[in-house]
Amino acid sequence: MGGFALTTPTQTDLNLRAVQLLNEDAEKIAQLISVQLDNLTLPKCPLYEEVLDTQMFGLSREIDFAVRAGLITREQGQQIIHDLERKLADLYAKILP
Amino acid sequence: MGGFALTTPTQTDLNLRAVQLLNEDAEKIAQLISVQLDNLTLPKCPLYEEVLDTQMFGLSREIDFAVRAGLITREQGQQIIHDLERKLADLYAKILP
């Protein structure tokens, strides 16, 4: 079974890898927004909102796919979005009085 | 090993499932565009182009994730996009003279 395990990832491997990839993507969005907030003074700028909407849509499509492919649970997906939203709220809090 | 195989999908199972899910998503985009083309006379309408761009972006994020998660090859991903683009070109050909 050792050789089998080496060539075929277990469900746990796949789950961990999928969660890691999705968290990296969420982190990239937080970084992008952080850079934007540093360079734009107004987070209400339509361009800023459009970039965020597009990126959040892309991440939600990835997460939805990962859930349907059986790689992660729906709860894990919601947690990734929730963590990102909290991170973004922290970024705003630093900018806005 | 029978029980193990039952609970742990093989790489082939995962690949087939991922390709099937992505093709279903591509098909949904083709359907959406088909309905839009039936109801809008101008495929150059900015709203139409925005919907298509957004949907293609979402699909490309799903495919990119599936490649990075090791579920499909990059070539399989490109094939799904290519098939969808050909389908959309066929739809336009029916509308435009």
Side-chain angles (χ1 to χ4, degrees):
Chain A
M1 206 175 105
F4 187 67
L6 274 175
T7 51
T8 303
T10 66
Q11 193 67 32
T12 309
D13 291 338
L14 290 166
N15 178 267
L16 288 176
R17 187 171 180 180
V19 169
Q20 189 191 339
L21 285 170
L22 292 169
N23 274 320
E24 284 170 10
D25 288 351
E27 184 53 36
K28 273 183 217 151
I29 296 176
Q31 290 284 343
L32 177 72
I33 296 305
S34 175
V35 169
Q36 287 215 335
L37 287 179
D38 284 346
N39 291 287
L40 296 170
T41 42
L42 286 175
K44 277 280 159 206
C45 167
L47 184 62
Y48 160 83
E49 289 185 340
E50 199 177 308
V51 169
L52 181 57
D53 281 356
T54 303
Q55 293 298 322
M56 291 298 272
F57 172 75
L59 182 63
S60 74
R61 295 302 293 158
E62 286 181 40
I63 289 174
D64 185 63
F65 171 78
V67 171
R68 286 180 295 144
L71 297 183
I72 65 171
T73 65
R74 198 155 288 281
E75 289 69 32
Q76 286 179 308
Q78 285 166 343
Q79 189 62 47
I80 292 165
I81 293 282
H82 180 258
D83 290 348
L84 176 56
E85 283 173 344
R86 214 184 38 197
K87 209 170 280 181
L88 294 176
D90 288 348
L91 288 173
Y92 301 147
K94 280 190 203 153
I95 301 270
L96 297 174
Chain B
M1 205 175 106
F4 188 67
L6 274 175
T7 51
T8 303
T10 66
Q11 194 66 32
T12 310
D13 291 339
L14 289 166
N15 179 267
L16 289 176
R17 186 170 179 183
V19 169
Q20 189 190 341
L21 284 171
L22 292 169
N23 274 321
E24 283 171 10
D25 288 350
E27 183 53 38
K28 273 184 217 151
I29 296 177
Q31 291 284 342
L32 177 72
I33 296 303
S34 174
V35 169
Q36 287 214 336
L37 288 178
D38 284 346
N39 291 287
L40 299 169
T41 42
L42 285 176
K44 277 280 158 205
C45 167
L47 184 63
Y48 160 83
E49 289 187 341
E50 198 177 311
V51 169
L52 181 56
D53 280 357
T54 303
Q55 293 298 320
M56 291 298 271
F57 171 75
L59 183 63
S60 73
R61 296 301 294 158
E62 286 181 40
I63 289 174
D64 185 63
F65 171 78
V67 171
R68 287 179 295 144
L71 296 183
I72 65 171
T73 65
R74 199 155 287 280
E75 290 67 34
Q76 286 179 309
Q78 286 166 342
Q79 190 62 47
I80 291 166
I81 294 283
H82 180 257
D83 290 349
L84 175 55
E85 284 173 344
R86 213 183 40 200
K87 211 171 279 180
L88 293 176
D90 287 349
L91 288 174
Y92 301 146
K94 279 190 202 152
I95 300 270
L96 298 173

